Amino acid sequence: MTGTVAGAATGTARATRVRMGVLVLITLATALNYLDRSAMGVAKPELVKDLHISPEVMGLIFSAFSWTYAFAQIPGGIVLDKLGTRITYALSLGLWSLATLTHGFMTNVAGLVSARMALGIAEAPCFPANSRILSTWFPQSERARATGVYTVGEYVGLGLLIPLLGWIVATWGWRSLYFIVGALGIVFALVWYRLYRDPEHSARVNQAELDAIAAGGGLAVAGASIPFTWSNVGKLLRKRQILGASIGQFCSNSTLVFFLTWFPSYLAEDRGMSFIKSGFAVSLPYIAASIGVMLGGVASDWLIRRTGSPSIGRKLPIVAGLLLCATMGAANFVDSNALVIVIMSIAFFGQGMAGLGWTLLSDVAPKSMIGLTGGVFNLCANFAGIVTPLVVGFVVGGTGSFYGALVYIGALGIVGAAAYIFILGPVERVSID
């Protein structure tokens, strides 16, 4: 991953690899981000018994996170452009971890909704910041694989730990889960602030690495940012690259949101699979998603090197992944729990491949509007977090079955693939007058 960049460096000094340490930091931060937002999926069976919550109301609680998360994307992007990555990320980490911890003190629906909304506001700058870090620290030829590495954190946080998280809930109660993961995040916020620096402020990076990153299209946010206006938001959404990617990401995120919210309940209630007794099996879809993320990133960078076309390299893995998401509906027609896990693993593997949307965005976003573009993109994409939990909650509450919910999410995979094929157009950096 580093050989090409090192060879591109000017001068005789060997390029440092500080960006690898930066990648470790954002991978851990992303893992905590998704662990905090998805812990409720594991806590839900015990939580609803304790507080007597119906499926429809539970869908509302799941959705509350994205009410504020989606609409805070643009303000989060503005804050990122104003305060910079280091301060914004540290504040975001500390505040979302504090919001997570407060879940454990809530005793009613209003309290849980309020805590979820606070969590959404605090987490909003995370992915625009990740996109900015990729644009500054990594050349284009490495961004897909770097995205693959940190995006694995989305799935590892819940998937690989799900038996442990289930054991914590069964042993100490659902509230303890929030106390533990919230405290971990607060500690890591301090670690982040201590260790992270932008390239131009890092004491550990040498000029050879900086030259190589710049030669490969990195350091993209140097210079002044264009001030925020709603007119600029409209201009971004009129660019087919931004609009097509946003629609596709909405569809991809619908699959992700299902796995982070309702999927544990689907296994436990619809399929009778206990987190603890089923053990490793319930983690398989999340592991498959992690593999999909990594494979999608490697395939994307390989395709760009072989074809010289960012359009082929970025779009092909995403379209293939979205089409695999559409296979989820097949779970409605099988009786074997083992086969259900296989189908869900295939669908979630596809969603992992489609996670390249953020890499594509870092390739097309205007250089002086990376924070705002990331905010607009994530705003559109995370309407899925509002819509999907509500749709699933009302379908399950009204029919007593997940049948319609799986059909809905599978259909969105086809819609997302169509958006990337017919709307997005060439993958190239756009400019805004």
Side-chain angles (χ1 to χ4, degrees):
M1 180 171 179
T2 60
T4 301
V5 173
T10 59
T12 59
R14 182 177 179 84
T16 53
R17 301 173 63 184
V18 176
R19 65 193 183 282
M20 298 299 108
V22 171
L23 184 57
V24 171
L25 282 177
I26 63 173
T27 299
L28 293 174
T30 303
L32 284 169
N33 181 292
Y34 270 79
L35 178 61
D36 286 22
R37 74 171 71 178
S38 59
M40 186 166 281
V42 177
K44 184 254 179 187
E46 295 300 319
L47 186 153
V48 297
K49 292 178 185 177
D50 185 17
L51 302 182
H52 309 290
I53 298 174
S54 68
E56 293 88 348
V57 173
M58 195 65 228
L60 181 73
I61 296 171
F62 276 136
S63 175
F65 165 84
S66 290
W67 301 348
T68 50
Y69 183 74
F71 288 104
Q73 289 303 308
I74 291 176
I78 297 171
V79 170
L80 177 63
D81 285 337
K82 294 292 185 182
L83 298 183
T85 305
R86 182 190 180 206
I87 294 175
T88 301
Y89 219 133
L91 287 173
S92 179
L93 258 166
L95 291 173
W96 92 51
S97 300
L98 181 62
T100 297
L101 192 147
T102 63
H103 282 65
F105 295 105
M106 300 307 171
T107 59
N108 54 45
V109 171
L112 288 172
V113 168
S114 299
R116 294 286 287 175
M117 292 175 70
L119 181 64
I121 293 174
E123 287 198 358
C126 177
F127 277 84
N130 284 353
S131 182
R132 180 174 179 144
I133 290 169
L134 287 187
S135 291
T136 56
W137 271 106
F138 289 86
Q140 185 183 56
S141 62
E142 291 184 358
R143 286 180 198 155
R145 278 179 289 178
T147 300
V149 171
Y150 86 72
T151 307
V152 165
E154 298 180 14
Y155 312 99
V156 171
L158 181 62
L160 297 183
L161 295 178
I162 197 169
L164 174 61
L165 300 179
W167 177 83
I168 290 172
V169 172
T171 304
W172 294 311
W174 65 271
R175 298 180 189 278
S176 65
L177 186 60
Y178 287 105
F179 296 147
I180 292 170
V181 297
L184 285 174
I186 291 171
V187 171
F188 190 73
L190 300 175
V191 173
W192 171 274
Y193 187 77
R194 174 68 179 82
L195 296 180
Y196 180 80
R197 298 292 188 279
D198 287 327
E200 65 272 22
H201 298 134
S202 174
R204 294 176 295 150
V205 67
N206 68 6
Q207 190 60 44
E209 184 176 12
L210 290 175
D211 290 344
I213 293 170
L219 309 177
V221 298
S225 295
I226 295 176
F228 167 80
T229 65
W230 285 108
S231 174
N232 283 336
V233 173
K235 289 177 181 178
L236 285 172
L237 289 175
R238 285 194 292 273
K239 296 294 183 179
R240 61 184 297 182
Q241 287 89 346
I242 308 299
L243 179 61
S246 296
I247 294 172
Q249 194 77 350
F250 168 87
C251 297
S252 171
N253 270 16
S254 294
T255 301
L256 176 61
V257 168
F258 172 78
F259 276 96
L260 297 180
T261 55
W262 282 103
F263 178 65
S265 295
Y266 167 69
L267 294 183
E269 299 168 12
D270 207 59
R271 291 288 174 171
M273 298 179 67
S274 163
F275 300 147
I276 299 175
K277 292 181 180 179
S278 300
F280 183 69
V282 300
S283 295
L284 285 177
Y286 300 91
I287 295 171
S290 300
I291 296 171
V293 168
M294 296 300 297
L295 182 61
V298 171
S300 177
D301 287 342
W302 180 82
L303 285 168
I304 288 177
R305 289 195 301 270
R306 290 299 298 267
T307 67
S309 170
S311 295
I312 294 174
R314 297 299 189 235
K315 290 168 67 174
L316 185 58
I318 295 174
V319 170
L322 284 163
L323 293 176
L324 289 177
C325 289
T327 64
M328 183 184 292
N332 286 325
F333 306 102
V334 300
D335 295 323
S336 166
N337 283 343
L339 192 53
V340 165
I341 291 295
V342 171
I343 292 170
M344 291 296 179
S345 297
I346 291 171
F348 211 9
F349 171 86
Q351 196 284 323
M353 291 185 66
L356 277 171
W358 275 102
T359 306
L360 185 148
L361 186 74
S362 70
D363 291 338
V364 303
K367 288 187 177 182
S368 58
M369 299 175 68
I370 289 177
L372 179 60
T373 307
V376 171
F377 177 74
N378 221 15
L379 166 65
C380 298
N382 280 282
F383 277 122
I386 298 174
V387 175
T388 300
L390 290 172
V391 169
V392 175
F394 278 95
V395 168
V396 173
T399 66
S401 167
F402 278 83
Y403 183 95
L406 300 188
V407 170
Y408 166 76
I409 295 172
L412 286 179
I414 297 174
V415 173
Y420 274 100
I421 294 171
F422 299 111
I423 298 178
L424 191 135
V427 176
E428 58 188 19
R429 193 172 299 281
V430 302
S431 60
I432 300 294
D433 295 330

